[in-house]
């Protein structure tokens, strides 16, 4: 006997007569309409739109496998498509059954069509959204939909755009028009049932899948399942365990070549298509605006990295080509200079030649082109943000999001659960619902203070890790000296191993803090999801900023700046501070940047692909082997349709895109804040992003359920973060050039000290003299290998034989000149670049004049169409009224002027029901 869906209890006998007829394998729509029972007793027939069907047994399904495609995504007894699916476990509490019963009753009351499948352990409720519901909620949600009028006179592109398009077509980076036909541009307007003449509702493609899913999700979020005002929404039901999942369906499996999913997998998510444009319109239709906007932004950012990468490579090549003419690296490699020990007691004197290779590589990064590249990247960052605002405005208009704004956002389900027992409530003036109140002084404020205190504590933990790595660096120098290793490998091993240790610590702290930040934000009792996400973003980005960038900031701005001199070294935990090589610390900064940036990107790429695959394998294993319910071995989840196949996939959570944005914003920081020390950063970011786009696309298509479409106008808070990072980048690059580079000291030397205004002699000028007899007892080498009277160190200090003994080892006047030049450079650089950035922002409007004119013209044409049709409709109504009046007057009605006695008494009409009297 076929299992009937529903909760009928003792009333199950009522349905036996239905099943006695062999023609009934399931309940049809008509049968449901004919069998209307008491709403309080029956769960099946709830309204005239109720379609609760029961599925056939698995054996009957195998016999009915004549139309696989129909059964794969449709109701079992009709051609209705499955637009949304709810899944729940048959093992549930009694109150869960009642909640589902009430919730689904309210769903069908709104007009949704439902069908339940209960053949397996995981039960499914399939939902279809009829056209009348789509029309009603499209109007409620103020969706902009295409109107019938074609916009045939679109403004033509200028010659620059046409030339660029021809060039791109020649380079074969455009999409295949056969697979992705160019969509005809259509005017859009807010949908209104009163203005149905504007819209081609009868077109089967008028409501696309994204709109249908959005409306279904909106209804699911608003329908109640209990008596309280806040007992509503599918998210809360999932949180409480009433349902296990709620998701829209993919439009086919990964082998169905007729499905859009397979098309996107082959043509968009394939690494072999990495040089092709993204089909952003198709992505929007399939995944929704929010999802498509991320990939649109990522694609735009990646394309903007191309000129930055080219300029970075040119600057890098310039450093290589000018290496032979660099006097500083040449002098380091050729002159026999004995340097002072790099640690106390155990370190020996060393020859400057051992850093020859280091200084040559340093010049490739630290050369005159560095200044140009820093200025270029600052202007590039501003240009990128302004052009993105301009482009996103065009995208928002094309996708019908102009004027869109989020409506009153409901409370988070987790928020309502935590405050379920709250006694105090207040009326929300927007939604007109009673909501629980969080006491500010007693609960809210202490929670926020505790949350951010713990967040600050973990930020200090990240700083402590950096300090530990610094101590490792300093201790390694001493241990190396103890083993009497005279090779120069340590100048490379120390920064490389330190960077690797730092990267491992970063990953571990990220895993811990990610969970901690979410727990802390939950503790704050944020009311809405937007408030929750914003608070979480602040905490995570604050921590990530410190976690990723603190070691780099240390090398850039602190290492070697406060070392002291041989008679008075500044120490930390008994260790002397690290010194920079005579060539500077920029090379070490480059090593740190390269390892953290490239290593983190490579690790994220592997994790993002492996983890979803493992989750899918685990879900498939659990549900197909029946481990979750071993008591019934016959009950398993068999992938005989799309909803059971999708159920095995990973859940697309609201934070899925959050992690993607965070990864890219951190990369943007490497590209802008520290690009002076790593000119190849844009190139590596470009390579990573080209692969990231395609691998992310494959991950979301293959291993995740289809996300619920969400409408957004822009990338939200991430734009503000990018703007702030860009401003920090200007200041950071100015300080790196001024204090970590040799640009300013060499410039001052050429202008003030050099006779021929060249770099000749700069090395001798930058190294101070020290008499080894002045070493304190605790600092002097214990057993030096050579007898040295005078050693050199990289500082601007007076020599040991200064004429004024009181000025021995003190700062000379040239040091203060260089410091003044450094500070002046920072002020000039920052103000000049900021002026150019402001000018760029002012010259590039957020909305192009072409788009602005188009929007005005479209609004005008739409209004004209509405006025024309309303005028015609009013005329038709007037004519109809006139005809009705004429028809009434032409019946057996007698017009009689009471003042004229024209009719005799015999001619007076008798009063009857066919006589109508009108006052002339």
């Amino acid at each position: 006997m076929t299992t009937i869906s529903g909760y009928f209890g003792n009333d199950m006998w009522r349905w036996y007569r239905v099943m006695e007829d062999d023609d009934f394998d399931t309940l049809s729509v008509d049968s449901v309409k004919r069998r209307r029972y008491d709403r309080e007793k029956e769960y099946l027939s709830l309204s005239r739109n109720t379609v609760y069907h029961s599925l056939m047994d698995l054996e009957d399904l195998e016999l009915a496998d004549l139309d696989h495609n129909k059964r794969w995504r449709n109701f079992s007894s009709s051609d209705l498509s499955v637009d949304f699916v709810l899944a729940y476990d048959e093992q549930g509490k009694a109150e869960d059954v009642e909640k589902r019963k009430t919730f689904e009753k309210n769903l069908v009351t709104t007009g949704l069509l439902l069908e339940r499948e209960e053949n397996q352990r995981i039960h499914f409720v399939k939902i279809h959204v009829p056209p009348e519901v789509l029309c009603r909620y499209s109007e409620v949600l103020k969706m902009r939909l295409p109107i019938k009028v074609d916009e045939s006179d679109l403004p033509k592109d200028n010659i620059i755009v046409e030339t660029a398009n021809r060039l791109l077509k020649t380079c074969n980076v455009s999409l295949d028009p056969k697979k992705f036909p160019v969509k005809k541009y259509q005017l859009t307007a807010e949908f209104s049932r009163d203005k149905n003449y504007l819209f081609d509702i009868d077109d089967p493609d008028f409501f696309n899948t994204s709109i249908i899913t959005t409306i279904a999700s909106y209804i699911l979020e608003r329908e109640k399942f209990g008596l309280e005002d806040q007992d509503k929404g599918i998210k809360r039901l999932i949180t409480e365990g009433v349902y296990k999942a709620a998701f829209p369906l993919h439009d086919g499996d990964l082998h169905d070549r007729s499905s859009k999913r397979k098309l996107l997998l082959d043509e968009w998510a394939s690494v072999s298509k990495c040089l092709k444009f993204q089909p952003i319109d198709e992505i929007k239709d399939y995944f929704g605006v929010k999802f498509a906007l991320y990939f649109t932004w990522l694609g735009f950012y990646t394309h903007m990295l191309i000129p930055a990468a080219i300029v970075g490579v040119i600057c890098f090549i310039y450093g290589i080509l000018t290496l032979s003419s660099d006097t500083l690296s040449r002098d380091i490699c050729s002159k026999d200079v004995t340097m002072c020990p790099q640690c106390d007691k155990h370190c020996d004197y060393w020859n400057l030649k051992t850093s020859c290779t280091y200084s040559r590589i340093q010049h490739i990064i630290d050369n005159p082109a560095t200044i140009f590249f820093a200025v270029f990247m600052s202007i590039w960052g501003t240009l990128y943000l302004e052009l993105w605002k301009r482009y996103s405005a065009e995208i928002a208009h094309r996708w019908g999001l102009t004027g869109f704004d989020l409506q009153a956002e409901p409370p988070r389900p987790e928020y309502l659960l935590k405050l379920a027992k709250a006694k105090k409530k207040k009326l929300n003036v927007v939604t007109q619902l009673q909501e629980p109140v969080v006491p500010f002084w007693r609960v809210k404020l202490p929670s926020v203070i505790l949350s951010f205190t713990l967040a600050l504590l973990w930020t200090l933990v990240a700083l402590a890790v950096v300090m530990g790595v610094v101590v490792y660096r300093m201790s390694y120098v001493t241990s190396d000296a103890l083993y009497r290793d005279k090779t120069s490998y340590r100048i490379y091993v120390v920064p490389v191993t330190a960077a690797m240790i730092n990267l491992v610590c970063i990953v571990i702290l990220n895993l811990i803090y990610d969970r901690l930040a979410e727990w802390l934000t939950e503790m704050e009792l944020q009311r809405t999801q937007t408030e929750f996400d914003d608070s979480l973003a602040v905490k995570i980005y604050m921590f990530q900023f410190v976690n990723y960038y603190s070691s780099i900031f240390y090398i850039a701005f602190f290492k070697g700046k406060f070392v002291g001199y041989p008679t008075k070294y500044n120490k930390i935990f008994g260790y002397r501070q690290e010194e920079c090589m005579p060539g500077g610390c920029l090379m070490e900064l480059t090593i740190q940047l390269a390892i953290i940036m490239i290593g983190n990107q490579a690790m994220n790429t592997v994790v993002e692909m492996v983890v979803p695959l493992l989750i899918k394998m685990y879900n498939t294993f659990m549900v197909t082997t029946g481990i979750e319910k071993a008591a019934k071995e016959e009950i398993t989840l068999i992938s005989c349709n799309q909803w059971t196949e999708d159920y095995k996939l990973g859940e697309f959570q609201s934070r899925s895109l959050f992690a993607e944005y965070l990864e890219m914003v951190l990369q943007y920081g490497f590209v802008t804040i520290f690009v002076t020390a790593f000119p190849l950063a844009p190139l590596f970011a470009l390579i990573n992003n080209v692969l990231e786009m395609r691998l992310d696309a494959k991950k979301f298509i293959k291993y995740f359920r289809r996300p619920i479409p969400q409408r957004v106008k822009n990338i939200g808070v991430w734009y503000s973060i990018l703007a702030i990072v860009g401003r920090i980048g200007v200041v950071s690059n100015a300080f790196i050039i001024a204090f970590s580079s040799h640009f300013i000291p060499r410039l001052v030397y050429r202008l003030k000290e050099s006779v021929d205004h060249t770099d000749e002699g700069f090395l001798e000028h930058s190294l101070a003299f020290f008499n080894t007899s002045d070493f304190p007892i605790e600092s002097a080498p214990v057993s030096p290998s050579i007898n040295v009277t005078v050693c050199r160190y990289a500082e601007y200090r007076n020599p040991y034989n200064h004429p004024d003994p009181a000025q021995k080892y003190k700062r000379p006047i040239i040091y203060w000149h260089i410091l003044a030049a450094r500070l002046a450079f920072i002020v000039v650089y920052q103000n000049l670049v900021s002026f150019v950035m402001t000018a760029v922002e002012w010259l590039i409007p957020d909305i192009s004049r072409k788009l602005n004119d188009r929007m005005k013209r479209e609004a005008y044409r739409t209004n004209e169409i509405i006025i024309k049709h309303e005028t015609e409709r009013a005329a038709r109504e007037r004519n109809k009224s006139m005809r009705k009046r004429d028809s009434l007057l032409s019946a057996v009605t007698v017009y009689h002027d009471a003042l004229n006695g024209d009719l005799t008494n015999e001619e007076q009409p008798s009063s009857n029901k066919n006589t109508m009297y009108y006052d002339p």
Side-chain angles (χ1 to χ4, degrees):
M1 180 181 295
T2 305
T3 302
I4 302 296
S5 63
Y7 307 90
F8 303 113
N10 295 328
D11 295 330
M12 179 65 77
W13 64 271
R14 297 190 181 191
W15 295 93
Y16 285 170
R17 288 191 301 173
V18 177
M19 302 311 300
E20 290 176 357
D21 190 347
D22 293 337
D23 295 335
F24 285 91
D25 289 325
T26 58
L27 291 177
S28 65
V29 179
D30 292 335
S31 66
V32 173
K33 289 181 179 179
R34 290 193 298 265
R35 295 167 176 80
R36 296 183 178 275
Y37 298 106
D38 186 2
R39 289 179 180 266
E40 296 180 357
K41 295 181 179 179
E42 302 304 328
Y43 184 42
L44 188 66
S45 181
L46 299 176
S47 74
R48 63 184 181 86
N49 291 323
T50 306
V51 187
Y52 267 94
H53 298 268
S54 64
L55 287 181
M56 296 176 291
D57 293 331
L58 291 179
E59 295 179 358
D60 295 333
L61 281 175
E62 293 176 357
L63 295 175
D65 196 18
L66 299 176
D67 191 356
H68 179 271
N69 292 332
K70 173 183 174 182
R71 183 169 56 83
W72 187 256
R73 289 181 46 83
N74 290 8
F75 279 20
S76 60
S77 59
S78 67
D79 293 333
L80 297 177
S81 62
V82 178
D83 298 324
F84 217 93
V85 171
L86 307 180
Y88 63 94
D89 199 324
E90 64 178 1
Q91 292 179 326
K93 303 176 183 178
E95 55 267 27
D96 292 346
V97 176
E98 291 300 320
K99 288 180 180 179
R100 285 197 294 267
K101 180 177 179 179
T102 304
F103 183 67
E104 293 171 25
K105 173 182 177 180
N106 291 331
L107 290 182
V108 295
T109 303
T110 63
L112 298 183
L113 308 182
L114 307 181
E115 179 182 77
R116 183 179 291 110
E117 175 183 303
E118 295 183 332
N119 290 337
Q120 306 178 67
R121 177 180 52 78
I122 301 299
H123 296 178
F124 295 98
V125 177
K126 296 169 284 184
I127 301 174
H128 175 77
V129 188
E132 60 269 17
V133 178
L134 293 174
C135 293
R136 189 195 325 152
Y137 281 93
S138 293
E139 184 175 15
V140 171
L141 295 176
K142 301 183 182 299
M143 288 188 170
R144 295 186 66 89
L145 300 177
I147 62 178
K148 295 179 182 178
V149 180
D150 295 330
E151 180 68 9
S152 57
D153 55 344
L154 286 174
K156 296 182 178 180
D157 294 327
N158 55 43
I159 188 172
I160 299 177
V161 176
E162 290 181 352
T163 303
N165 290 333
R166 284 197 296 268
L167 180 62
L168 293 174
K169 187 175 180 179
T170 304
C171 297
N172 196 27
V173 297
S174 301
L175 296 171
D176 187 352
K178 295 181 180 179
K179 298 177 179 178
F180 298 99
V182 179
K183 293 186 177 180
K184 189 175 182 180
Y185 182 79
Q186 289 181 292
L187 293 178
T188 60
E190 283 190 6
F191 185 81
S192 174
R193 287 177 292 176
D194 293 335
K195 301 180 178 63
N196 55 7
Y197 49 79
L198 286 175
F199 308 96
D200 189 7
I201 302 176
D202 296 330
D203 185 358
D205 297 326
F206 181 73
F207 293 109
N208 58 33
T209 308
S210 179
I211 295 175
I212 296 173
T213 307
T214 300
I215 291 174
S217 174
Y218 179 79
I219 296 173
L220 289 170
E221 286 299 327
R222 293 182 61 84
E223 291 307 316
K224 298 182 63 176
F225 57 85
L227 300 177
E228 298 293 332
D229 288 342
Q230 303 304 329
D231 290 344
K232 65 178 184 178
I234 187 63
K235 286 184 180 178
R236 184 169 176 183
L237 288 172
I238 293 175
T239 303
E240 294 179 358
V242 179
Y243 289 99
K244 293 180 70 71
F247 52 92
L249 296 180
H250 285 291
D251 72 341
D253 60 20
L254 297 174
H255 306 289
D256 182 7
R257 295 195 173 276
S258 63
S259 67
K260 186 178 292 186
R261 184 186 185 191
K262 176 64 174 175
L263 176 65
L264 291 175
L265 180 64
D266 293 340
E267 300 297 327
W268 172 48
S270 175
V271 177
S272 61
K273 307 291 183 179
C274 62
L275 299 181
K276 295 279 188 178
F277 286 149
Q278 297 185 100
I280 57 174
D281 291 323
E282 299 292 338
I283 299 171
K284 187 264 298 183
D285 291 340
Y286 194 81
F287 290 104
V289 173
K290 185 176 182 179
F291 191 95
L293 198 59
Y294 163 73
F295 280 97
T296 303
W297 169 77
L298 180 58
F300 184 85
Y301 169 50
T302 303
H303 282 90
M304 286 294 294
L305 281 172
I306 295 176
I310 292 174
V311 175
V313 171
I314 291 174
C315 292
F316 188 79
I317 295 174
Y318 173 83
I320 296 175
L321 296 178
T322 58
L323 181 60
S324 59
S325 61
D326 179 50
T327 56
L328 179 60
S329 60
R330 186 183 63 212
D331 290 346
I332 290 175
C333 295
S334 60
K335 293 190 175 182
D336 189 12
V337 179
T338 302
M339 303 296 294
C340 296
Q342 293 183 320
C343 68
D344 295 337
K345 291 187 177 181
H346 304 291
C347 290
D348 199 357
Y349 301 101
W350 59 285
N351 198 294
L352 186 59
K353 289 181 180 180
T354 57
S355 64
C356 174
T357 305
Y358 185 96
S359 64
R360 288 181 178 275
I361 300 176
Q362 168 91 6
H363 171 75
I364 298 176
I365 301 165
D366 185 9
N367 55 70
T370 302
I371 310 299
F372 167 77
F373 190 54
V375 175
F376 172 83
M377 287 304 298
S378 298
I379 299 174
W380 172 88
T382 304
L383 189 65
Y384 155 65
L385 292 177
E386 292 302 311
L387 290 178
W388 165 249
K389 279 199 298 186
R390 189 184 179 100
Y391 181 63
S392 64
E394 295 180 2
I395 292 295
H397 177 71
R398 191 163 90 195
W399 290 349
L401 298 170
T402 303
F404 168 75
D405 193 11
L406 289 175
Q407 300 181 4
E409 192 172 358
R412 298 171 54 244
E414 297 84 356
Y415 170 84
L416 296 177
L417 275 177
K418 289 191 174 183
L419 298 177
K421 298 182 180 180
K423 297 180 180 179
K424 187 178 180 181
K425 296 185 179 181
K426 70 175 182 179
L427 182 68
N428 187 313
V429 296
V430 178
T431 61
Q432 293 298 307
L433 296 175
Q434 292 290 335
E435 295 182 2
V437 177
V438 181
F440 179 79
W441 295 104
R442 185 165 54 88
V443 178
K444 184 74 173 179
L445 184 60
S447 299
V448 173
I449 293 175
L450 177 61
S451 175
F452 278 93
T453 301
L454 291 176
L456 181 60
L457 175 63
W458 273 89
T459 303
L460 295 178
V461 170
L463 290 175
V465 170
V466 175
M467 182 60 65
V469 175
V470 171
V471 173
Y472 160 78
R473 295 169 184 268
M474 295 186 294
S475 62
Y476 189 91
V477 176
T478 302
S479 63
D480 183 71
L482 286 174
Y483 287 103
R484 291 292 185 267
D485 190 348
K486 303 302 180 181
T487 62
S488 60
Y489 78 94
R490 62 182 174 79
I491 65 176
Y492 308 105
V493 171
V494 172
V496 171
T497 55
M500 293 297 294
I501 292 172
N502 193 43
L503 178 60
V504 173
C505 293
I506 285 173
V507 173
I508 295 174
L509 287 176
N510 279 347
L511 294 176
I512 298 174
Y513 187 79
D514 192 57
R515 300 180 183 275
L516 177 67
E518 191 166 356
W519 177 76
L520 292 175
T521 311
E522 287 283 0
M523 188 173 58
E524 296 174 7
L525 296 176
Q526 300 291 347
R527 175 183 171 274
T528 65
Q529 190 65 41
T530 300
E531 293 173 351
F532 180 88
D533 291 341
D534 289 345
S535 180
L536 183 65
V538 170
K539 293 184 186 65
I540 290 185
Y541 188 75
M542 177 181 69
F543 178 80
Q544 298 278 30
F545 190 93
V546 174
N547 199 19
Y548 278 97
Y549 300 150
S550 53
S551 61
I552 303 173
F553 274 111
Y554 161 74
I555 297 173
F557 304 128
F558 297 101
K559 182 180 178 181
K561 306 299 187 297
F562 311 100
V563 176
Y565 54 100
T567 59
K568 188 180 179 181
Y569 282 118
N570 300 318
K571 298 183 180 181
I572 298 177
F573 300 116
Y575 294 105
R576 273 172 48 183
Q577 294 186 35
E578 295 181 278
E579 299 179 21
C580 294
M581 289 292 156
C585 280
L586 208 59
M587 176 60 189
E588 188 170 347
L589 179 61
T590 303
I591 294 175
Q592 187 83 2
L593 272 168
I595 290 178
I596 293 178
M597 176 181 173
I598 300 174
N600 181 65
Q601 290 179 348
M603 189 177 302
N604 284 339
T605 301
V606 173
V607 170
E608 287 178 359
M609 293 303 297
V610 172
V611 171
L613 176 60
L614 294 178
I615 292 175
K616 181 183 178 182
M617 292 172 62
Y618 173 79
N619 290 341
T620 304
F621 178 73
M622 293 296 285
V623 298
T624 56
T625 58
I627 288 179
E628 293 184 2
K629 187 178 180 183
K632 292 186 179 180
E633 297 180 357
E634 74 280 1
I635 297 180
T636 58
L637 187 61
I638 302 173
S639 296
C640 58
N641 44 51
Q642 187 67 58
W643 46 90
T644 52
E645 184 71 22
D646 287 0
Y647 179 78
K648 301 175 185 177
L649 302 177
E651 181 183 1
F652 190 92
Q653 301 177 349
S654 59
R655 286 194 57 197
S656 297
L657 287 182
F658 176 87
E660 304 296 336
Y661 273 114
L662 181 62
E663 180 184 352
M664 289 297 104
V665 171
L666 288 172
Q667 182 202 87
Y668 183 78
F670 286 117
V671 170
T672 54
I673 298 178
F674 308 105
V675 72
T676 302
F678 193 25
L680 295 181
L683 176 63
F684 284 105
L686 175 63
I687 296 173
N688 173 81
N689 291 1
V690 168
L691 299 176
E692 179 84 8
M693 273 190 296
R694 309 300 168 169
L695 294 178
D696 279 351
K698 180 174 292 187
K699 173 182 66 176
F700 289 125
I701 291 176
K702 293 184 66 175
Y703 305 126
F704 282 90
R705 297 169 190 159
R706 192 171 183 174
I708 297 174
Q710 298 182 39
R711 292 186 296 168
V712 292
K713 288 183 64 175
N714 46 48
I715 60 176
V717 69
W718 298 110
Y719 181 87
S720 301
I721 294 177
L722 291 173
I724 293 173
V725 169
R727 295 293 180 177
I728 294 174
V730 175
V731 179
S732 174
N733 286 310
F735 274 88
I736 290 175
I737 295 172
F739 288 97
S740 296
S741 169
H742 278 291
F743 174 74
I744 299 300
R746 294 174 81 164
L747 180 63
V748 173
Y749 175 79
R750 286 197 297 266
L751 295 177
K752 293 185 65 66
E753 301 294 328
S754 177
V755 178
D756 55 356
H757 300 294
T758 63
D759 287 340
E760 292 293 338
F762 174 73
L763 178 63
E764 288 289 333
H765 173 74
S766 62
L767 297 178
F769 292 86
F770 180 77
N771 193 325
T772 57
S773 61
D774 294 333
F775 265 125
I777 298 176
E778 65 275 9
S779 299
V782 176
S783 54
S785 59
I786 56 175
N787 187 17
V788 177
T789 304
V790 176
C791 64
R792 311 291 294 273
Y793 60 100
E795 269 281 12
Y796 284 97
R797 291 188 178 272
N798 291 326
Y800 64 92
N801 54 358
H802 193 274
D804 185 0
Q807 295 297 319
K808 185 172 68 171
Y809 302 135
K810 300 296 182 180
R811 296 289 189 185
I813 190 65
I814 189 63
Y815 169 81
W816 302 108
H817 287 169
I818 292 174
L819 179 61
R822 282 171 167 163
L823 297 176
F825 172 81
I826 291 174
V827 173
V828 172
Y829 177 92
Q830 185 172 349
N831 284 277
L832 177 62
V833 173
S834 297
F835 172 79
V836 175
M837 292 169 66
T838 304
V840 170
E841 293 175 355
W842 180 75
L843 291 173
I844 301 178
D846 294 348
I847 300 178
S848 65
R849 186 179 65 179
K850 177 181 174 182
L851 177 60
N852 195 29
D853 293 342
R854 184 192 302 174
M855 292 168 61
K856 292 179 180 178
R857 173 170 176 76
E858 290 176 359
Y860 171 78
R861 290 196 61 186
T862 304
N863 289 333
E864 288 295 312
I865 294 170
I866 294 173
I867 292 172
K868 177 182 176 182
H869 281 82
E870 290 296 330
T871 303
E872 292 177 352
R873 184 163 68 175
R876 287 195 301 270
E877 291 293 334
R878 186 167 56 251
N879 293 335
K880 184 178 178 180
S881 177
M882 293 286 291
R883 286 195 300 270
K884 182 178 180 181
R885 180 176 180 179
D886 291 343
S887 63
L888 291 173
L889 293 176
S890 63
V892 286
T893 304
V894 177
Y895 282 86
H896 173 59
D897 192 343
L899 297 179
N900 293 331
D902 296 335
L903 297 177
T904 63
N905 291 334
E906 292 80 2
E907 295 173 327
Q908 294 290 339
S910 61
S911 177
N912 55 58
K913 61 181 180 180
N914 292 325
T915 305
M916 304 279 301
Y917 292 88
Y918 288 86
D919 188 8

